[in-house]
Amino acid sequence: MNRAAILIGVQQAQTLPKLQAVWDGVRGMKEWALSQGIDKDLVRTITDETGKVTPQQIKDAVSEFAGPGDLDQLIIYFAGHGVNVRRGEYWLLSDAIDDADAAVNVAGSVDLARCGVIPHVVFVSDACRTAAVGIQAGGITGSVIFPNKPVLGREKFVDLFFATLLGEPSVEIANPGNAKKFRAVYTETLLEALRGQHPEITKPDSETGLRLVRPWPLKQFLEKELPNRVHQATLGPSPRDQQPDARLTSDPDGPNVWLSALKLPEPTVTHPVHSRLRGSNRRAERRATLTQIELSRPQEAMRTVLTDSNSNIDEVLGVVRGIAVPPSPVGSQKRTDPNQQFVSDQNQQFADGVLRTAEPFGPMHFESDCGFKIRGAKVTRCDDRQASAKLLDHGTLVRVKLHDGEPCVSVLLTLDNGHGVLLPAIRDFLATLTFDGLNLVDVAYEPSDNSYRWQEYQQRATELRNLRAVIASSSRLGTFRLEGTDAETLARRMQISKGIDPSLALYAAHAYRDQGNRQRIREMADYMQGDLNICLFDIALLAGLIKDPIVKSKVFPFLPMLSQSWALMAAYEVDVPPLLKGMSRHVSTDSLWTLFDADGVGLISQVIQEGKVR
């Protein structure tokens, strides 16, 4: 393969704490890249050892390597501070946070890489994914580092390796032999695997006789090994947990889909690690095992509702809590999970979220075309181009009357705390908004029971509500993803007659994006246009159709509905009214669904009143 590597290390991002292990991580990755035979001119290190690191330096390196069009693989490694803003990853460079652009917009860069010329791009991030704190951090917009020059043909493979889960830190650990020396345990563990120190995860290449480290076995190795190492290294009064994450779209056994090619003997069979552990090591592995059990439960809950249309909420929550629910019949071999007492705070939040959002409430229709139902907050004002939205029941209901022939209208709902939500009112549908404190955690669209759609929908209402509740809660925690046959199953479950469940489609679009499955997103866009004569903004964006003249005329609302879609606006160079430039700065960094601050509400209201949007 013709390969290149861009290795980025930022020890100091303005006033944030200095990171001690960053440069060692970059040096280790450089040594490994050169040992793999990658041309030294195609290994570029960009660190703050000699000066500031800027987005332009990284863009220039990417453009230089991608320009000739002859690369088979590009590896981009980053060590430094990371932040999660609106559920999107940003790598902080030297001038972040004062300069909102002095960061790498990872999500936007991934989307452009998928449409680029390099067949396989690998992002490796040894950085925190904690939520942004403060107005400055929340205002980070970042820069996309791949050129916006889409090429025809199939989308390229893009694999992402994260040192930790969404919302969690990546830890540096003091070296016991030298109190001033720190280790980046993720990079350390990664390099061991890439150097062949764990030959059991390698696979032989029949042509060369070398053993290959491929992305999928590497992902599985890191998931098992890293939590054990971090917990073992931090044993004491405050042991730490760190679970890595990876989102892979590459073919597990495809040609030229590997990271290391090594001259290694056939690995010998070894006894399981746990049989050799004693004392603190055994406790570390036990904790790591429990961590993996906890993390797998939301995914198991989703698979339960995906595969069993008759599953009920008690069964779903039983999966999360490690309990067999309902009680097993007499003579059944099904028993409760012995680890059921270990239910993390995160999984308790997941269970609470499922219960909160699955239960329907309020009227099932209005004497109009459509409207909104709100729980956990109250609406004090409505803005729409037609001035047809009316408040009812002390602001917990909003009735919308569409003009004849109009399929939809964008409505700005202002809450009693001054924040606001921009959503489409869709003919024949009621939208349910669920708030948890200051955050909008779910939006669900269901047919009105006085519409022609209701008869078919009611036969599957409980099934779809349960599925939506599980997906919404998983999305909020950053654990919703599709694996194996899940994608096809979800596609079938979302479909109702010739159409598709609008709210499920929004969640699914991001999961399909993570898979690199843009074709499925475009199919959803087609379904929606054929059935509803509209296309939701986020689906048009992720399908790459946001600028298509035909689709553009049917897009509602005129800004993203899900918070994580904002990171992709720059990658697709979306046109918005001049007054709304920089609107991402007015979006809550914590809410799953887009929630605007009071200043943002004022700007959107002005644009609506001026009649510049639909």
Side-chain angles (χ1 to χ4, degrees):
M1 282 200 296
N2 188 24
R3 303 203 285 167
I6 299 173
L7 313 173
I8 310 158
V10 181
Q11 190 182 69
Q12 181 89 60
Q14 282 200 337
T15 58
L16 294 178
K18 182 179 288 188
L19 299 173
Q20 304 299 322
V22 164
W23 297 343
D24 285 343
V26 172
R27 281 191 281 268
M29 289 295 294
K30 181 178 180 179
E31 290 170 3
W32 162 77
L34 294 174
S35 74
Q36 282 289 297
I38 300 178
D39 190 308
K40 62 181 179 59
D41 291 332
L42 293 177
V43 178
R44 186 68 45 83
T45 58
I46 304 173
T47 74
D48 55 356
E49 285 184 274
T50 56
K52 290 184 177 181
V53 175
T54 69
Q56 194 60 50
Q57 291 172 302
I58 305 170
K59 290 180 182 182
D60 290 344
V62 171
S63 295
E64 178 186 339
F65 291 166
D70 59 353
L71 272 189
D72 296 302
Q73 183 187 79
L74 174 62
I75 298 167
I76 301 177
Y77 167 86
F78 175 81
H81 282 288
V83 68
N84 149 33
V85 183
R86 294 173 288 276
R87 287 170 167 72
E89 274 81 29
Y90 294 83
W91 296 339
L92 303 184
L93 306 183
S94 297
D95 285 337
I97 300 175
D98 284 352
D99 183 350
D101 295 328
V104 173
N105 176 342
V106 177
S109 300
V110 165
D111 269 38
L112 291 184
R114 284 181 175 146
C115 301
V117 299
I118 304 173
H120 187 201
V121 177
V122 182
F123 288 82
V124 180
S125 175
D126 193 349
C128 294
R129 302 174 73 193
T130 48
V133 178
I135 295 174
Q136 275 189 302
I140 288 174
T141 53
S143 301
V144 290
I145 57 175
F146 278 76
N148 187 11
K149 296 179 181 178
V151 297
L152 297 176
R154 294 183 58 182
E155 291 195 358
K156 309 307 187 292
F157 292 143
V158 177
D159 290 336
L160 294 93
F161 288 89
F162 295 107
T164 188
L165 296 174
L166 184 68
E168 299 295 326
S170 178
V171 299
E172 288 188 330
I173 298 172
N175 192 323
N178 184 348
K180 296 183 178 180
K181 192 75 172 175
F182 284 75
R183 302 157 48 207
V185 185
Y186 177 78
T187 295
E188 183 180 273
T189 308
L190 172 74
L191 281 170
E192 281 188 15
L194 294 177
R195 289 166 176 159
Q197 292 172 242
H198 300 273
E200 68 276 8
I201 70 167
T202 63
K203 293 187 176 183
D205 178 54
S206 58
E207 292 186 9
T208 64
L210 299 175
R211 297 194 68 84
L212 305 179
V213 178
R214 291 182 177 270
W216 287 89
L218 177 61
K219 170 184 183 289
Q220 294 161 1
F221 166 76
L222 292 170
E223 286 175 347
K224 293 178 180 179
E225 184 71 14
L226 186 70
N228 183 16
R229 291 197 181 197
V230 171
H231 192 78
Q232 183 177 331
T234 59
L235 277 176
S238 301
R240 302 287 296 272
D241 286 325
Q242 183 175 328
Q243 181 71 32
D245 196 6
R247 301 192 177 188
L248 310 182
T249 65
S250 59
D251 182 346
D253 298 308
N256 290 348
V257 181
W258 47 267
L259 298 174
S260 273
L262 304 156
K263 292 181 179 180
L264 295 174
E266 185 76 19
T268 56
V269 177
T270 58
H271 296 290
V273 174
H274 64 77
S275 67
R276 303 193 306 272
L277 293 179
R278 290 189 176 88
S280 63
N281 284 11
R282 189 181 293 276
R283 291 197 302 273
E285 179 171 305
R286 169 71 171 166
R287 179 63 255 177
T289 301
L290 292 175
T291 298
Q292 291 168 26
I293 291 171
E294 284 291 292
L295 290 168
S296 69
R297 284 175 178 168
Q299 191 70 22
E300 290 175 19
M302 191 190 75
R303 192 157 289 120
T304 296
V305 293
L306 270 179
T307 56
D308 182 4
S309 60
N310 296 315
S311 61
N312 59 49
I313 286 299
D314 286 339
E315 288 176 305
V316 172
L317 298 183
V319 171
V320 179
R321 294 167 179 151
I323 304 169
V325 177
S328 303
V330 175
S332 169
Q333 297 301 308
K334 191 174 184 181
R335 292 176 293 185
T336 59
D337 184 335
N339 296 306
Q340 63 178 301
Q341 66 270 31
F342 297 99
V343 180
S344 66
D345 291 342
Q346 185 184 65
N347 279 355
Q348 189 59 54
Q349 292 174 25
F350 173 83
D352 292 344
V354 170
L355 282 173
R356 182 170 51 247
T357 56
E359 187 66 28
F361 77 101
M364 297 307 296
H365 71 267
F366 292 133
E367 299 306 323
S368 64
D369 302 296
C370 49
F372 303 92
K373 302 184 289 186
I374 298 93
R375 57 182 162 192
K378 291 184 178 180
V379 175
T380 58
R381 173 177 167 170
C382 306
D383 290 275
D384 68 275
R385 179 174 54 83
Q386 302 170 348
S388 58
K390 304 297 181 185
L391 294 178
L392 302 171
D393 199 20
H394 307 290
T396 60
L397 301 175
V398 179
R399 184 177 63 201
V400 180
K401 178 66 177 177
L402 296 175
H403 290 175
D404 289 344
E406 289 278 358
C408 187
V409 66
S410 299
V411 181
L412 174 65
L413 306 174
T414 303
L415 308 176
D416 52 4
N417 62 4
H419 293 182
V421 186
L422 179 71
L423 293 172
I426 305 173
R427 184 179 294 277
D428 295 330
F429 282 84
L430 291 187
T432 299
L433 284 66
T434 301
F435 287 86
D436 179 9
L438 298 177
N439 296 319
L440 178 57
V441 297
D442 186 45
V443 175
Y445 283 85
E446 293 190 348
S448 302
D449 67 4
N450 61 353
S451 75
Y452 74 93
R453 300 174 182 275
W454 175 252
Q455 185 172 359
E456 180 181 358
Y457 184 85
Q458 70 173 336
Q459 299 172 11
R460 298 180 56 202
T462 300
E463 165 199 347
L464 290 170
R465 285 167 182 160
N466 292 350
L467 181 58
R468 251 194 328 256
V470 170
I471 290 176
S473 294
S474 296
S475 297
R476 189 181 180 191
L477 297 175
T479 59
F480 175 45
R481 63 194 57 193
L482 299 174
E483 297 175 344
T485 60
D486 292 348
E488 294 300 322
T489 305
L490 180 58
R492 292 193 301 270
R493 295 288 297 280
M494 285 191 299
Q495 292 177 21
I496 306 164
S497 186
K498 66 175 180 177
I500 196 165
D501 182 299
S503 34
L504 274 176
L506 283 162
Y507 291 119
H510 278 282
Y512 288 136
R513 173 191 170 271
D514 287 341
Q515 280 194 325
N517 193 346
R518 181 170 292 186
Q519 181 57 38
R520 180 66 74 187
I521 305 173
R522 288 183 171 170
E523 289 172 3
M524 293 196 300
D526 290 341
Y527 280 132
M528 196 165 286
Q529 291 174 80
D531 182 35
L532 304 175
N533 200 27
I534 69 168
C535 187
L536 296 180
F537 185 102
D538 304 58
I539 293 176
L541 179 71
L542 271 62
L545 300 172
I546 196 70
K547 290 191 169 185
D548 182 291
I550 296 175
V551 177
K552 190 175 181 180
S553 65
K554 298 181 179 181
V555 170
F556 289 91
F558 48 88
L559 292 172
M561 297 171 67
L562 281 166
S563 293
Q564 63 204 96
S565 298
W566 286 89
L568 304 176
M569 295 282 277
Y572 292 99
E573 299 179 346
V574 180
D575 296 324
V576 296
L579 197 61
L580 302 185
K581 298 288 187 183
M583 276 302 295
S584 63
R585 302 174 190 272
H586 299 290
V587 176
S588 167
T589 59
D590 297 324
S591 181
L592 176 62
W593 290 75
T594 297
L595 192 62
F596 298 100
D597 64 20
D599 291 337
V601 168
L603 294 172
I604 295 171
S605 177
Q606 183 177 337
V607 169
I608 290 175
Q609 298 307 317
E610 291 174 355
K612 297 180 179 179
V613 291
R614 300 173 66 221

